Amino acid sequence: MDPIAWLSGSLGVPYWAVRAVAAPLVYPGLAAFMVVALFIIWAERKIAARVQMRVGPLYVSRRLGGALQVLADGVRIAFQEIIIPVGVEKWSFVLSPILAFTVVSLAFTMVPGGPGIYGFRSSLSLLATYAIVTLTPILVIVMGWASNNKFSYIGAGREALVSITGEATLLASLLAAAMMYGSMDFVEIVEAQMRSHVPGLVANPVAALLFFIAALLVTDRLPFDLVLGEQEIVQGPYTEYTGLLFALSMALGYAKLYVLMLVFTHVFLAGWAPFTSPLLGSIAVFAKTLLLMLVAVFLRSVYGRMRLDQVASMFWSKLFPLALVAFVVSALIHPIYAP
Amino acid sequence: MAGSAGGDRHRSRPGLVRAHLEAIATAARRLLEPPMTMPIPDYGDARVPGYRGVVLFDYDKCIGCSLCAQICPARAIKMYRVPGDKRLRPGYNVGRCIFCGLCTDICPTDALSESIVHDRVYDDVPSMDMDPVDWAVWSRRVLEEERKPGRPLLRARVDPERGLVYERVDAEGGPVAEEKGEER
């Protein structure tokens, strides 16, 4: 039984409208994201702890290995006072994290969570998702600018550089993949991979690797956590934030990572590949995305940090040219995805 | 997958791809090893014979003789007039108490007894000064907490051979069936 059909019938609202609201709010949207964030932040701390031979979060819910630690932190943050410092640009300071998170959540209308589970289907949904995700750096820069704090300001400057640097490679690898499938629609991309039984990861590993590395950069994951730069600039653009605004700004990075890993799942891991039913397909997509996110947070405990100029030179002089190689690979290999 | 990027990035250093893979493999191997650090032992202290904590008061056993108030060297116990009661009853100021236990010794009916806690938290200074009824209610609460420990209890014992030994005990002070000595 289709819950969306039932809802649209009982509310008297058209089917597409219910779907457009349910996708960003429930799955793959905010409700699913909350679960993912709670799990991933715990996993990140636990993995880093185990690699460093520590125990990690433990005392909140000892039997679950401290799994509710993040929830406890969230509750604490929710009751924390939201301090608005005297010198800040008040409205930009308050509204920019809210707006930034809202913008990222809009991406959930475009990315499918499983077969037939999406807000809108468009022939340009890949590009639209990319456009929505890459809108957030502007708001992060507004955050840093409005905070009236030198750490925030430096962080905002780094965000500008990092977003320009990372997104060129991100877009190039996505376009290489789109060229390979001959489509920018997630559903068609996944169907092309299911038809040929070759996931994009195998067909074009260069583009997949570049997308993954660039996604690490634009979501401030190590080894590229320049914007957050805890060792140097406290929390970067988020330094002055407290309470729920801080939680939103923290969730921003994880939401971006979630969206980008969903995109990776669809474009390079064949989305809901072995299954075609909505339920099993959704579970497959969710599991693949979670696995990718675990790999992304695992890398935190493997690598050190890179310097700003090292990142810029690596991306512009090494990875971006490699993206052009990915285009060549796509051009050579695209016949296997021909309908 | 990592080979294509790593190999292209630094042609002059052919070992770089391997270095990346080795770093990841090392971290993955460490992930499976048990942690070196130990969790903080989550144990409470068991009742030690003769331990002197805050004094507990049983209203029903009290005969109102006021011996406790007379013996108290810190004047922590004072006699109060309770509405609807003919006799005077003792009240207790924890802030003044020096935990000497003289009151529990002199009490003819064992209405006063010693607990194993002395490190309780109070909202403010006035709430440390309890009248007889408050004291009796509060004593019952402390006793309940004592009987139902939230975490396993440990008792320290000096062993001639092993030195200081910590043993698991139950709330009454008896040894727990799966007795396992733990050295700290």
Side-chain angles (χ1 to χ4, degrees):
Chain A
M1 151 132 196
D2 187 0
I4 294 176
W6 175 80
L7 257 180
S8 79
S10 58
L11 293 178
V13 181
Y15 187 83
W16 64 267
V18 175
R19 195 164 63 182
V21 173
L25 285 188
V26 185
Y27 180 78
L30 292 179
F33 168 67
M34 287 293 281
V35 177
V36 167
L38 289 179
F39 174 72
I40 280 296
I41 296 174
W42 170 76
E44 180 168 17
R45 294 182 56 183
K46 205 75 177 170
I47 288 174
R50 293 310 289 267
V51 170
Q52 295 161 6
M53 294 183 165
R54 293 183 286 117
V55 175
L58 179 68
Y59 285 94
V60 180
S61 70
R62 192 181 258 273
R63 288 202 188 125
L64 298 174
L68 297 181
Q69 175 70 50
V70 185
L71 198 63
D73 289 346
V75 170
R76 184 194 75 76
I77 282 173
F79 286 105
Q80 196 180 22
E81 181 188 0
I82 295 175
I83 298 168
I84 298 175
V86 176
V88 304
E89 186 83 28
K90 191 176 169 191
W91 288 109
S92 337
F93 180 80
V94 173
L95 289 181
S96 50
I98 299 172
L99 207 55
F101 190 75
T102 314
V103 164
V104 175
S105 316
L106 281 181
F108 295 128
T109 54
M110 285 295 179
V111 192
I117 297 178
Y118 45 76
F120 297 102
R121 184 177 170 182
S122 145
S123 57
L124 291 173
S125 53
L126 183 67
L127 217 51
T129 308
Y130 170 81
I132 288 168
V133 169
T134 52
L135 262 182
T136 53
I138 297 168
L139 291 156
V140 174
I141 291 165
V142 170
M143 275 187 222
W145 189 282
S147 288
N148 189 21
N149 173 315
K150 56 178 180 259
F151 299 127
S152 309
Y153 184 60
I154 295 170
R158 289 182 177 192
E159 174 75 28
L161 186 136
V162 154
S163 57
I164 292 168
T165 305
E167 283 160 15
T169 310
L170 197 68
L171 182 61
S173 57
L174 272 184
L175 287 184
M179 188 175 127
M180 182 165 67
Y181 302 121
S183 165
M184 286 201 189
D185 181 3
F186 282 118
V187 180
E188 278 181 27
I189 285 175
V190 173
E191 277 168 359
Q193 291 173 79
M194 289 174 82
R195 217 181 308 121
S196 63
H197 299 292
V198 181
L201 183 65
V202 176
N204 195 343
V206 184
L209 181 69
L210 288 179
F211 181 86
F212 192 79
I213 294 176
L216 289 182
L217 178 62
V218 301
T219 55
D220 300 337
R221 314 301 314 168
L222 257 82
F224 314 119
D225 71 332
L226 295 162
V227 178
L228 222 55
E230 280 178 359
Q231 294 94 328
E232 303 157 6
I233 49 172
V234 191
Q235 283 282 327
Y238 320 121
T239 303
E240 293 283 1
Y241 284 96
T242 47
L244 275 177
L245 289 181
F246 174 77
L248 273 185
S249 63
M250 279 292 99
L252 185 62
Y254 287 98
K256 264 165 103 172
L257 184 68
Y258 180 49
V259 173
L260 287 173
M261 290 304 136
L262 269 175
V263 171
F264 190 100
T265 303
H266 291 309
V267 175
F268 295 110
L269 290 182
W272 48 89
F275 308 108
T276 43
S277 82
L279 182 67
L280 285 176
S282 302
I283 291 173
V285 169
F286 195 69
K288 285 176 187 177
T289 308
L290 215 53
L291 198 69
L292 282 168
M293 290 179 79
L294 280 178
V295 172
V297 299
F298 169 67
L299 290 181
R300 166 178 285 267
S301 45
V302 176
Y303 290 110
R305 308 179 62 222
M306 285 177 85
R307 234 166 39 217
L308 195 61
D309 61 318
Q310 287 174 332
V311 171
S313 81
M314 175 181 140
F315 270 81
W316 283 117
S317 60
K318 312 273 170 38
L319 296 189
F320 189 67
L322 207 59
L324 304 180
V325 176
F327 274 105
V328 176
V329 174
S330 290
L332 292 178
I333 212 157
H334 86 274
I336 65 168
Y337 290 116
Chain B
M1 185 170 124
S4 50
D8 198 71
R9 271 162 54 200
H10 297 277
R11 262 176 240 276
S12 55
R13 282 191 283 161
L16 200 86
V17 184
R18 249 187 75 195
H20 274 283
L21 292 180
E22 270 176 18
I24 293 172
T26 306
R29 215 179 315 119
R30 287 273 208 92
L31 196 59
L32 302 176
E33 283 177 15
M36 283 168 80
T37 53
M38 284 159 65
I40 298 169
D42 188 25
Y43 289 112
D45 292 326
R47 174 190 279 275
V48 180
Y51 188 91
R52 296 197 285 238
V54 293
V55 180
L56 305 179
F57 174 50
D58 190 338
Y59 200 104
D60 299 330
K61 283 188 190 166
C62 183
I63 54 172
C65 63
S66 76
L67 277 174
C68 46
Q70 287 171 35
I71 195 80
C72 182
R75 296 190 193 165
I77 298 182
K78 280 193 297 184
M79 300 310 284
Y80 285 76
R81 190 167 293 287
V82 179
D85 201 336
K86 276 181 282 182
R87 308 194 76 102
L88 292 173
R89 302 289 176 186
Y92 181 45
N93 186 346
V94 196
R96 297 192 67 105
C97 184
I98 60 171
F99 310 113
C100 63
L102 288 180
C103 48
T104 57
D105 288 345
I106 204 156
C107 183
T109 56
D110 279 347
L112 299 179
S113 60
E114 282 163 333
S115 68
I116 55 165
V117 294
H118 60 268
D119 49 349
R120 287 181 65 87
V121 179
Y122 306 88
D123 291 340
D124 45 16
V125 175
S127 68
M128 297 173 84
D129 193 358
M130 290 173 278
D131 65 19
V133 179
D134 279 353
W135 189 14
V137 172
W138 179 80
S139 299
R140 202 171 300 147
R141 207 163 57 224
V142 172
L143 260 182
E144 268 169 25
E145 282 173 28
E146 212 178 283
R147 291 214 185 96
K148 265 192 279 175
R151 44 192 191 160
L153 297 176
L154 276 190
R155 184 171 56 195
R157 184 171 59 82
V158 178
D159 190 279
E161 284 167 17
R162 292 161 64 203
L164 203 57
V165 176
Y166 290 87
E167 296 171 326
R168 281 282 299 278
V169 290
D170 58 16
E172 305 301 322
V176 173
E178 37 107 33
E179 169 114 12
K180 90 173 176 218
E182 186 177 323
E183 286 178 70
R184 284 198 276 201

